[in-house]
Amino acid sequence: MVYPKIPLAQSVVEIFRKQGIQHIVISPGSRNAPLTLGFTLQPFFTCYSIADERSAAFFAIGLAQQCQKPVAVVCTSGSAVLNYYPAVAEAFYSQIPLIVISADRPASKIDIGDGQTIRQHHVLSQHTVFNANLTETASVENDRLIYEAIEASINLKGPVHLNVPFEEPLYERVPALTVAVSSPPVKKLEAVVQESFVSFVEQWNTALRKLVLVGVNAPHSIPSELLQQLMSDPSVLVMTETTSNLHHSDCIDSIDTLITPFESADKEAFQPDILLTFGGMVVSKRIKALLRNHAPKLHWHIDPLRAYDTYGCLTHHFKITPSEWFSTFLPQVQAVSSSYRDTFLTLRDHRCQKAAEYLANIPFCDLKVFEKLLPQIPPHTHLQVSNSSAIRYAQLFSTDASVEVFCNRGTSGIDGSTSTAIGAAVASGVPTTLITGDISFLYDSNALWNAYIPKTFTLIVINNGGGGIFRILPGHEETPTFTTFFETSHCFTAQHLAAMYGLDYHTASSESTLETALETLFGERERPQLLEIFTPTQQNDHYLRTFFKSLV
């Protein structure tokens, strides 16, 4: 076996091996050479070389999203670590375990005019769950910090940062370890206090209107029998989003379609006595506004770690998993006679009928694309969706229950969607489709600059000539300022990028050409596929606005 000569690098690599951190995403550089040598020369590690640090970190998020284990990203000194920040923030708010290892110059070289140096100490601290600046010499204290970082990433489900200084020479190797890595600190077992549900059961059993709202949720995390038990109570209305990965015929799975046309009487009838939430971030701005203006008496959130007061009325945080909560709580409660659920299921059915009538008579546009596209996603595959318009359109239509859906909703940014999707496809080994907008795709085009894109990866770019979401936001005007600085109008296509990175390229610009493309897109292939769908820039917002008006 061959190891880097620098003892500190040996310590980092050996502790990661002992702790089972297998996936290492490395961006080429010089100062991180001791770590690169250490990780790549050990057969235990699976290493990936991705030059663009921003893309590398989002690729690592995709890996961790699917593996549900920490993934490390390794970079050189200087501004490289700053390029990790968008992904670090996403990992923080999406509760994804990510370990950032930034190589650094020794402390004596900082702020003296030496090349490729910045103040790296705690540079990511606002959006990490643990930070450590190691000293240059291998030590028991350094070992302890490395162990703590890994443990924090696992237990607190978030990103951590290890800043590791190295002095030259950086590339020397030795045939055997020259350090004795210490053992992990002994963990103190804390007694688990079982929270009493008595008072909450009483409140639940007397409430006539109980709304369960589910945000981003891992597939298969809630057993179907628990969901069925929850749905048996007519006083319970369950609302899910595309990213909730929960499916039941009595769930409201298109929230905006139901509530956007609400009149005052509807809002008052909808106002819950108890709001129960679990999962990550909620996409729908309309449900947030509605619950803030018509707040429930009680808001309970279930999550082992965090509870955001999204609606300004949080009253209790249950610090356990949703599955544990439902399996303990539901056997203690009883169904309540109420018309709450049936009232809104009846209204949902009416909305669905009106929506179908409207969609049958509109021309080719973004809305029509999603209506045709989502049912064609192959069963038992993964669907990744980018932010802005793409995820909002996806919320308006149902997906097959066997399709698992993912989206970077932690910070809702357009950066990194393609990189994340590719990382997830690599980790899962499941055929994966990404639906993304043109701006998000172009912004993250370096995602295609890696050697790991599976041939079962399908990339669908909806090109409406700019940031179409700005046309449906307040303040839209057809002015040069709007088209240049908000919409970011452009005439680019993905054709040459597809050719450069080895993807088969397809186009569609009408309903018939889209249907033809979809017939071949998901079949047998030797390379990844890219379908670019062109829609009318100045008409998409009209058909979306009219859609909601047609539902009454």
Tab-separated table of all heavy atoms in Angstrom, residues 2 42 63 70 86 115 122 124 151 206 218 248 255 290 321 358 360 362 386 389 392 442 458 461 468 477 479 524-525:
chain	number	residue	atom	x	y	z
A	2	VAL	N	0.428	2.285	-0.672
A	2	VAL	CA	1.163	3.544	-0.752
A	2	VAL	C	0.343	4.628	-0.071
A	2	VAL	O	-0.883	4.682	-0.209
A	2	VAL	CB	1.446	3.926	-2.223
A	2	VAL	CG1	2.217	5.241	-2.303
A	2	VAL	CG2	2.233	2.812	-2.909
A	42	GLN	N	-6.093	4.253	-2.103
A	42	GLN	CA	-6.700	3.233	-1.237
A	42	GLN	C	-7.904	2.638	-1.951
A	42	GLN	O	-8.840	3.359	-2.308
A	42	GLN	CB	-7.159	3.865	0.087
A	42	GLN	CG	-6.021	4.210	1.017
A	42	GLN	CD	-6.078	3.384	2.305
A	42	GLN	OE1	-6.674	2.321	2.345
A	42	GLN	NE2	-5.448	3.901	3.334
A	63	LEU	N	-25.091	12.264	-4.601
A	63	LEU	CA	-24.623	10.989	-4.064
A	63	LEU	C	-25.184	10.762	-2.663
A	63	LEU	O	-25.727	9.693	-2.357
A	63	LEU	CB	-23.090	10.964	-4.009
A	63	LEU	CG	-22.315	10.973	-5.330
A	63	LEU	CD1	-20.822	11.110	-5.051
A	63	LEU	CD2	-22.575	9.695	-6.123
A	70	PRO	N	-22.767	10.227	4.639
A	70	PRO	CA	-21.927	11.373	4.304
A	70	PRO	C	-21.063	11.109	3.071
A	70	PRO	O	-20.559	10.000	2.864
A	70	PRO	CB	-21.052	11.551	5.550
A	70	PRO	CG	-21.797	10.880	6.652
A	70	PRO	CD	-22.522	9.742	6.014
A	86	PRO	N	-22.724	27.402	-2.267
A	86	PRO	CA	-24.128	27.166	-2.627
A	86	PRO	C	-24.605	25.759	-2.258
A	86	PRO	O	-25.714	25.586	-1.739
A	86	PRO	CB	-24.138	27.379	-4.148
A	86	PRO	CG	-23.002	28.309	-4.397
A	86	PRO	CD	-21.943	27.909	-3.418
A	115	GLY	N	0.576	33.275	-2.599
A	115	GLY	CA	-0.402	32.949	-3.626
A	115	GLY	C	-1.474	31.967	-3.171
A	115	GLY	O	-1.245	31.112	-2.325
A	122	HIS	N	-13.287	28.810	9.295
A	122	HIS	CA	-14.718	29.004	9.554
A	122	HIS	C	-15.429	29.759	8.428
A	122	HIS	O	-16.442	30.414	8.659
A	122	HIS	CB	-14.928	29.751	10.885
A	122	HIS	CG	-14.388	29.017	12.062
A	122	HIS	ND1	-14.855	27.777	12.453
A	122	HIS	CD2	-13.412	29.339	12.944
A	122	HIS	CE1	-14.195	27.379	13.532
A	122	HIS	NE2	-13.308	28.296	13.851
A	124	LEU	N	-17.279	28.749	6.133
A	124	LEU	CA	-18.610	28.213	5.836
A	124	LEU	C	-19.482	28.098	7.085
A	124	LEU	O	-20.531	27.452	7.053
A	124	LEU	CB	-18.476	26.815	5.195
A	124	LEU	CG	-17.582	26.702	3.956
A	124	LEU	CD1	-17.462	25.241	3.531
A	124	LEU	CD2	-18.131	27.542	2.814
A	151	GLU	N	-19.116	12.484	12.876
A	151	GLU	CA	-20.265	12.186	13.727
A	151	GLU	C	-21.338	13.266	13.610
A	151	GLU	O	-22.541	12.964	13.537
A	151	GLU	CB	-19.819	12.053	15.185
A	151	GLU	CG	-20.934	11.657	16.135
A	151	GLU	CD	-20.454	11.499	17.570
A	151	GLU	OE1	-19.246	11.646	17.817
A	151	GLU	OE2	-21.296	11.246	18.445
A	206	THR	N	-60.650	15.972	19.642
A	206	THR	CA	-61.734	16.959	19.712
A	206	THR	C	-61.721	17.928	18.527
A	206	THR	O	-62.651	18.722	18.368
A	206	THR	CB	-61.646	17.763	21.022
A	206	THR	OG1	-60.363	18.403	21.097
A	206	THR	CG2	-61.843	16.854	22.231
A	218	ALA	N	-38.589	11.711	2.004
A	218	ALA	CA	-37.878	10.592	1.382
A	218	ALA	C	-38.848	9.484	0.997
A	218	ALA	O	-39.778	9.184	1.756
A	218	ALA	CB	-36.815	10.051	2.339
A	248	HIS	N	-51.880	8.526	-2.216
A	248	HIS	CA	-53.136	7.926	-1.769
A	248	HIS	C	-54.251	8.629	-2.531
A	248	HIS	O	-54.168	9.832	-2.794
A	248	HIS	CB	-53.319	8.093	-0.257
A	248	HIS	CG	-54.458	7.310	0.308
A	248	HIS	ND1	-55.768	7.721	0.200
A	248	HIS	CD2	-54.493	6.138	1.000
A	248	HIS	CE1	-56.556	6.844	0.799
A	248	HIS	NE2	-55.809	5.870	1.287
A	255	ILE	N	-51.869	21.120	-4.675
A	255	ILE	CA	-52.363	22.085	-3.697
A	255	ILE	C	-52.835	23.368	-4.357
A	255	ILE	O	-53.937	23.870	-4.077
A	255	ILE	CB	-51.266	22.379	-2.647
A	255	ILE	CG1	-50.929	21.107	-1.858
A	255	ILE	CG2	-51.706	23.498	-1.706
A	255	ILE	CD1	-49.745	21.256	-0.923
A	290	LEU	N	-51.880	31.308	2.626
A	290	LEU	CA	-53.212	31.006	3.152
A	290	LEU	C	-53.159	30.650	4.625
A	290	LEU	O	-53.969	31.132	5.425
A	290	LEU	CB	-53.823	29.843	2.352
A	290	LEU	CG	-55.220	29.376	2.775
A	290	LEU	CD1	-56.219	30.526	2.727
A	290	LEU	CD2	-55.677	28.226	1.880
A	321	THR	N	-38.926	10.762	14.320
A	321	THR	CA	-39.224	10.636	12.898
A	321	THR	C	-40.733	10.568	12.700
A	321	THR	O	-41.469	10.109	13.586
A	321	THR	CB	-38.583	9.378	12.298
A	321	THR	OG1	-39.221	8.216	12.852
A	321	THR	CG2	-37.088	9.325	12.581
A	358	TYR	N	-59.995	22.562	-19.591
A	358	TYR	CA	-59.147	23.672	-20.027
A	358	TYR	C	-57.936	23.162	-20.804
A	358	TYR	O	-57.612	23.667	-21.893
A	358	TYR	CB	-58.689	24.465	-18.806
A	358	TYR	CG	-57.732	25.586	-19.135
A	358	TYR	CD1	-58.190	26.811	-19.617
A	358	TYR	CD2	-56.352	25.415	-18.984
A	358	TYR	CE1	-57.304	27.829	-19.924
A	358	TYR	CE2	-55.466	26.431	-19.288
A	358	TYR	CZ	-55.942	27.638	-19.760
A	358	TYR	OH	-55.071	28.649	-20.070
A	360	ALA	N	-57.513	20.543	-22.477
A	360	ALA	CA	-57.844	19.935	-23.765
A	360	ALA	C	-57.921	20.960	-24.885
A	360	ALA	O	-57.890	20.591	-26.067
A	360	ALA	CB	-59.162	19.177	-23.648
A	362	ILE	N	-55.993	24.095	-25.027
A	362	ILE	CA	-54.926	25.103	-25.111
A	362	ILE	C	-53.864	24.653	-26.096
A	362	ILE	O	-53.665	23.462	-26.334
A	362	ILE	CB	-54.279	25.377	-23.731
A	362	ILE	CG1	-53.598	24.121	-23.172
A	362	ILE	CG2	-55.299	25.930	-22.766
A	362	ILE	CD1	-52.784	24.384	-21.913
A	386	SER	N	-35.724	20.592	-11.468
A	386	SER	CA	-35.017	21.814	-11.086
A	386	SER	C	-35.997	22.798	-10.463
A	386	SER	O	-37.214	22.584	-10.456
A	386	SER	CB	-34.330	22.442	-12.300
A	386	SER	OG	-35.285	23.055	-13.151
A	389	SER	N	-39.643	27.639	-12.385
A	389	SER	CA	-40.862	27.226	-13.084
A	389	SER	C	-41.044	25.712	-13.108
A	389	SER	O	-42.164	25.211	-12.974
A	389	SER	CB	-40.845	27.746	-14.526
A	389	SER	OG	-40.906	29.153	-14.564
A	392	ARG	N	-42.691	24.191	-10.058
A	392	ARG	CA	-44.049	24.717	-9.871
A	392	ARG	C	-45.036	24.121	-10.880
A	392	ARG	O	-46.172	23.802	-10.531
A	392	ARG	CB	-44.030	26.243	-9.946
A	392	ARG	CG	-43.448	26.862	-8.679
A	392	ARG	CD	-43.290	28.364	-8.757
A	392	ARG	NE	-43.003	28.921	-7.443
A	392	ARG	CZ	-41.804	28.895	-6.871
A	392	ARG	NH1	-40.784	28.336	-7.513
A	392	ARG	NH2	-41.617	29.398	-5.674
A	442	LEU	N	-28.401	26.107	-18.337
A	442	LEU	CA	-27.228	26.859	-18.779
A	442	LEU	C	-26.353	27.262	-17.592
A	442	LEU	O	-25.122	27.244	-17.673
A	442	LEU	CB	-27.667	28.099	-19.563
A	442	LEU	CG	-28.334	27.824	-20.917
A	442	LEU	CD1	-28.963	29.098	-21.467
A	442	LEU	CD2	-27.335	27.243	-21.911
A	458	THR	N	-31.492	10.769	-18.432
A	458	THR	CA	-32.236	11.539	-19.430
A	458	THR	C	-32.398	12.972	-18.947
A	458	THR	O	-32.889	13.201	-17.845
A	458	THR	CB	-33.623	10.919	-19.675
A	458	THR	OG1	-33.464	9.555	-20.077
A	458	THR	CG2	-34.378	11.687	-20.743
A	461	VAL	N	-34.740	19.565	-21.167
A	461	VAL	CA	-34.606	21.019	-21.001
A	461	VAL	C	-35.813	21.692	-21.640
A	461	VAL	O	-36.065	21.516	-22.837
A	461	VAL	CB	-33.310	21.538	-21.656
A	461	VAL	CG1	-33.196	23.051	-21.472
A	461	VAL	CG2	-32.092	20.834	-21.065
A	468	GLY	N	-38.725	32.159	-17.409
A	468	GLY	CA	-40.169	32.323	-17.566
A	468	GLY	C	-40.905	32.602	-16.280
A	468	GLY	O	-41.995	33.199	-16.298
A	477	GLU	N	-43.398	43.594	-16.858
A	477	GLU	CA	-43.682	44.534	-17.937
A	477	GLU	C	-42.784	44.197	-19.113
A	477	GLU	O	-41.649	43.759	-18.936
A	477	GLU	CB	-43.381	45.981	-17.504
A	477	GLU	CG	-44.260	46.523	-16.397
A	477	GLU	CD	-43.870	47.950	-16.060
A	477	GLU	OE1	-43.975	48.816	-16.951
A	477	GLU	OE2	-43.439	48.202	-14.931
A	479	THR	N	-40.480	45.387	-21.093
A	479	THR	CA	-39.525	46.474	-21.260
A	479	THR	C	-38.132	45.885	-21.428
A	479	THR	O	-37.884	44.730	-21.062
A	479	THR	CB	-39.520	47.394	-20.027
A	479	THR	OG1	-39.047	46.644	-18.893
A	479	THR	CG2	-40.911	47.932	-19.741
A	524	GLU	N	-34.034	1.744	-25.327
A	524	GLU	CA	-32.648	1.305	-25.241
A	524	GLU	C	-31.739	2.390	-25.812
A	524	GLU	O	-32.051	3.002	-26.826
A	524	GLU	CB	-32.467	0.005	-26.009
A	524	GLU	CG	-33.158	-1.199	-25.393
A	524	GLU	CD	-32.572	-1.583	-24.056
A	524	GLU	OE1	-31.331	-1.466	-23.910
A	524	GLU	OE2	-33.338	-1.981	-23.160
A	525	ARG	N	-30.589	2.586	-25.148
A	525	ARG	CA	-29.657	3.610	-25.621
A	525	ARG	C	-28.236	3.257	-25.234
A	525	ARG	O	-28.020	2.484	-24.280
A	525	ARG	CB	-30.041	4.997	-25.105
A	525	ARG	CG	-29.644	5.311	-23.679
A	525	ARG	CD	-30.585	4.869	-22.578
A	525	ARG	NE	-31.822	5.606	-22.571
A	525	ARG	CZ	-31.973	6.786	-21.968
A	525	ARG	NH1	-30.967	7.349	-21.345
A	525	ARG	NH2	-33.145	7.378	-21.977
